[in-house]
Amino acid sequence: MADTTQRIAKKDLTAPSVVKEELKEAVYINMWKQADASGNTGLVERIEKAWEKSQGVPFDHDLTLDDQINFALMGPPGQGKTTSVMVASREVCKEVGLNFVDVSGVENDFEPGENDFVFCNINLGGATSAIDLGLPALGETKGGERYMDRTPHRIFALSQKAVGSLLFFDDVTNAYEKVVGPLLEITENKAFGTAKLGDATTVVLAGNTKGDGSVGTMQNLGAALNDRVKVFQVEDTPKDWVKRWEQDVVASAFSDQNKSLKLLMASLVERGENLGFLKDGRFYSEYTKDSTGTVTPRSLYKFGGQLTKMMSRYKRGKSFSSLVDAVDNEVKGIFGNAQAASAISTYVSSYLEGAQEFAQRIFESKDKKGAERIADEVSKKMSSDGEASAESFGFAYKYSNALSNEFLVKVSSLLKDGVENPIEKIQELGVRLGEGLAVTSPSQQSKSLDIFMRRATSRLSSEFLIKTSHGNTDNERHLLRKDLAVGILKGLMNSNIKVGQDELIGIFTNSGSMGEDDSLGLK
């Protein structure tokens, strides 16, 4: 059993786009087999034509010599396993010209037609999974326990009549132990007892791995699982997520609003590591006792959809402040980690108000004069009859926070690329940071730099240690934080920053926990 877990865990990680394409191929091949065996030449021609258009190569008849193709998709929650299965099925139907019919959880008198593809999702999580599968279920009465007879799920009969079908067993890692045997029989023989699936049926199992990498009930399937299914360890990638989001938004409309949302969500994911929901370039979940995580591709996608609706309401006359409040409430309701939710909310509202755009332009400016011109635009936006209003102060905070975020993104990218003389490059970025902050008030500068340095010393120093092979002793870490601080301070001091040098040194040394033994050699 343990060996099975290890084998599954060691499988190469695959993004949902890869899984989707593999599933599409399987659906095509299984459907072709049945159409060819039944002599349905019209459907065979449609499948082959659609295959060539979709795959870019002629249909290879030798593919049909393989054994049936079934899959097990394993991975953390919210990584796109179920979505991949649904999208793959729908895309094949669209390409071949079939009707996609979802019969999941519906008991009715539907009978598939000659152009119908049947999809069924059976969730096996929990003790009721035996009932859902059509197994005899254990019931309780006052006199003790008794068995209730059940008939196999009607998808078995429907799949025989449809031109194609996909039977999706979800949450198998939490399935009742009683379903293990039937699952093996179904995946191997496309049958359960006397009930048989159609030859054009693709069987897919999916389950969530836990924080320790274990796979629950799937462990009890043993080596037999690998003999019957192709196992994918599914993990969504930020790049893959952004691609899907862009396709969905562009497909819905080409309005300026949707273009803005596309850029916003792509920008949000690009900065996910700094905002706390990416780690080493991947989505990750910190499991708690109740198995809730932080930010998953699913929750991020849900937020994007809600943001689309909120933006539409704003365009119809709602105030901008109400939009910002709605974003904040939505973020807190969707994302399970308070720290990540706060960072995302601040980032999104900064983006919507234009603060993020100003910050990005500051760092992308080619010279000091260009940066100063942008900073002057910010200064005008923050002024209100010569006095700072509550709104302008709020914008200043978001702008300062955006500058800090952009600096961390730029430095992080710089360190990961392994450039020579990183401290010198950090100083150049520090100049841009100072030029951007120079237009804010001294109190805002001090507060922004305080928050910023706490992030910088904890994150960038660890990344820099890895990239430059610095040692891990406390003294060497101390010196590295000092190097980072010196680089940043030199950059800031070359700008018109209004916070005094002594105050800056105090902020960096205290918040960076570098000790109070010197003033970083800048006096």
Side-chain angles (χ1 to χ4, degrees):
M1 295 180 184
D3 291 341
T4 303
T5 305
Q6 292 174 2
R7 280 197 296 273
I8 293 175
K10 289 180 180 178
K11 293 284 183 180
D12 291 337
L13 297 173
T14 53
S17 60
V18 176
V19 175
K20 184 196 73 174
E21 291 306 315
E22 290 267 0
L23 288 170
K24 283 182 65 175
E25 289 184 14
V27 171
Y28 266 117
I29 293 170
N30 286 332
M31 194 159 50
W32 187 96
K33 283 183 182 180
Q34 179 168 299
D36 184 58
S38 63
N40 190 341
T41 56
L43 182 57
V44 166
E45 291 176 0
R46 285 162 59 192
I47 293 171
E48 292 181 356
K49 185 177 180 180
W51 168 282
E52 184 169 358
K53 185 176 181 180
S54 173
Q55 305 296 322
V57 294
F59 185 83
D60 184 358
H61 292 193
D62 289 339
L63 291 172
T64 63
L65 298 177
D66 296 336
D67 292 334
Q68 62 184 40
I69 307 170
N70 299 311
F71 299 87
L73 312 181
M74 310 301 298
Q79 298 292 316
K81 297 185 292 295
T82 302
T83 301
S84 297
V85 178
M86 286 287 290
V87 172
S89 302
R90 288 183 181 276
E91 286 189 4
V92 170
C93 289
K94 184 177 180 180
E95 292 165 7
V96 180
L98 301 176
N99 301 319
F100 177 88
V101 183
D102 186 353
V103 297
S104 307
V106 178
E107 292 291 341
N108 54 33
D109 57 358
F110 168 75
E111 290 294 330
E114 60 181 13
N115 210 43
D116 290 336
F117 180 98
V118 174
F119 174 89
C120 186
N121 182 343
I122 302 177
N123 191 298
L124 296 182
T128 62
S129 59
I131 298 175
D132 297 329
L133 187 59
L135 294 171
L138 190 64
E140 292 188 2
T141 65
K142 292 182 179 180
E145 298 179 344
R146 64 182 178 84
Y147 284 98
M148 297 184 298
D149 291 331
R150 298 284 298 188
T151 57
H153 200 288
R154 56 191 301 269
I155 184 63
F156 287 82
L158 295 178
S159 68
Q160 293 181 17
K161 300 175 183 179
V163 295
S165 59
L166 191 146
L167 180 54
F168 181 44
F169 293 108
D170 203 0
D171 203 15
V172 295
T173 48
N174 292 316
Y176 191 38
E177 294 292 335
K178 184 181 266 187
V179 309
V180 172
L183 276 177
L184 290 176
E185 184 180 348
I186 291 169
T187 53
E188 181 175 24
N189 302 320
K190 288 190 178 179
F192 168 52
T194 58
K196 297 188 179 298
L197 292 168
D199 292 334
T201 302
T202 302
V203 178
V204 182
L205 315 179
N208 295 329
T209 52
K210 300 180 180 179
D212 59 1
S214 63
V215 291
T217 304
M218 291 291 282
Q219 289 175 269
N220 297 329
L221 293 174
L225 173 67
N226 289 339
D227 294 337
R228 291 166 172 81
V229 298
K230 184 172 184 178
V231 180
F232 283 103
Q233 186 72 14
V234 181
E235 182 174 298
D236 206 355
T237 67
K239 184 178 180 180
D240 205 56
W241 188 94
V242 169
K243 183 179 180 180
R244 284 202 315 280
W245 170 257
E246 289 181 348
Q247 288 174 338
D248 287 350
V249 172
V250 171
S252 62
F254 290 92
S255 66
D256 290 339
Q257 174 186 316
N258 281 340
K259 288 180 181 179
S260 299
L261 285 169
K262 183 180 75 171
L263 294 174
L264 167 56
M265 298 307 289
S267 181
L268 184 65
V269 174
E270 181 182 352
R271 288 155 180 79
E273 199 148 330
N274 189 50
L275 296 175
F277 62 86
L278 295 182
K279 190 174 184 179
D280 299 325
R282 294 175 176 174
F283 290 98
Y284 76 103
S285 294
E286 292 180 342
Y287 282 84
T288 58
K289 291 182 179 179
D290 59 355
S291 298
T292 57
T294 52
V295 179
T296 67
R298 180 193 297 147
S299 61
L300 196 62
Y301 204 94
K302 180 181 178 182
F303 170 64
Q306 293 299 105
L307 186 58
T308 304
K309 296 176 182 178
M310 287 185 281
M311 287 292 290
S312 296
R313 289 195 291 269
Y314 167 63
K315 292 293 183 180
R316 292 198 300 268
K318 294 285 186 179
S319 67
F320 183 79
S321 60
S322 67
L323 171 63
V324 173
D325 290 342
V327 168
D328 187 56
N329 290 331
E330 193 68 33
V331 168
K332 291 175 181 177
I334 290 178
F335 303 119
N337 180 282
Q339 185 174 355
S342 176
I344 291 172
S345 178
T346 300
Y347 179 85
V348 172
S349 59
S350 295
Y351 191 100
L352 294 175
E353 282 192 69
Q356 183 64 36
E357 180 185 356
F358 279 123
Q360 289 177 223
R361 287 173 59 197
I362 289 283
F363 285 102
E364 291 168 0
S365 58
K366 296 181 179 180
D367 52 41
K368 184 174 182 178
K369 287 185 178 180
E372 289 176 343
R373 284 196 295 270
I374 298 168
D376 186 54
E377 291 181 50
V378 177
S379 180
K380 291 178 180 178
K381 185 174 179 64
M382 288 190 298
S383 64
S384 176
D385 298 328
E387 297 182 0
S389 64
E391 290 78 11
S392 65
F393 184 82
F395 179 83
Y397 172 77
K398 290 173 182 175
Y399 167 70
S400 300
N401 193 64
L403 280 171
S404 297
N405 282 335
E406 282 306 297
F407 180 89
L408 291 174
V409 169
K410 297 292 184 185
V411 175
S412 178
S413 176
L414 180 152
L415 295 178
K416 287 180 178 179
D417 290 341
V419 299
E420 295 182 5
N421 303 316
I423 296 299
E424 181 180 333
K425 298 292 184 181
I426 287 173
Q427 290 176 20
E428 294 175 7
L429 291 172
V431 172
R432 291 285 183 267
L433 178 64
E435 288 160 355
L437 286 173
V439 297
T440 62
S441 67
S443 62
Q444 188 62 52
Q445 292 167 11
S446 177
K447 185 175 182 179
S448 177
L449 289 170
D450 191 9
I451 296 172
F452 159 67
M453 197 56 195
R454 284 202 299 269
R455 297 176 185 170
T457 54
S458 64
R459 180 170 162 219
L460 295 181
S461 59
S462 61
E463 291 184 8
F464 192 48
L465 277 168
I466 295 172
K467 291 297 176 184
T468 58
S469 300
H470 276 63
N472 290 319
T473 66
D474 291 340
N475 185 53
E476 286 170 321
R477 286 181 179 275
H478 168 93
L479 292 175
L480 177 58
R481 290 194 180 96
K482 179 177 175 180
D483 285 344
L484 285 169
V486 168
I488 296 167
L489 279 170
K490 283 184 177 179
L492 291 173
M493 289 165 61
N494 286 333
S495 66
N496 296 321
I497 197 81
K498 296 181 177 64
V499 177
Q501 179 180 324
D502 291 343
E503 185 177 3
L504 279 172
I505 292 172
I507 290 172
F508 283 116
T509 53
N510 292 334
S511 64
S513 301
M514 292 178 283
E516 301 175 356
D517 54 335
D518 57 45
S519 59
L520 305 186
L522 294 176
K523 285 189 175 182

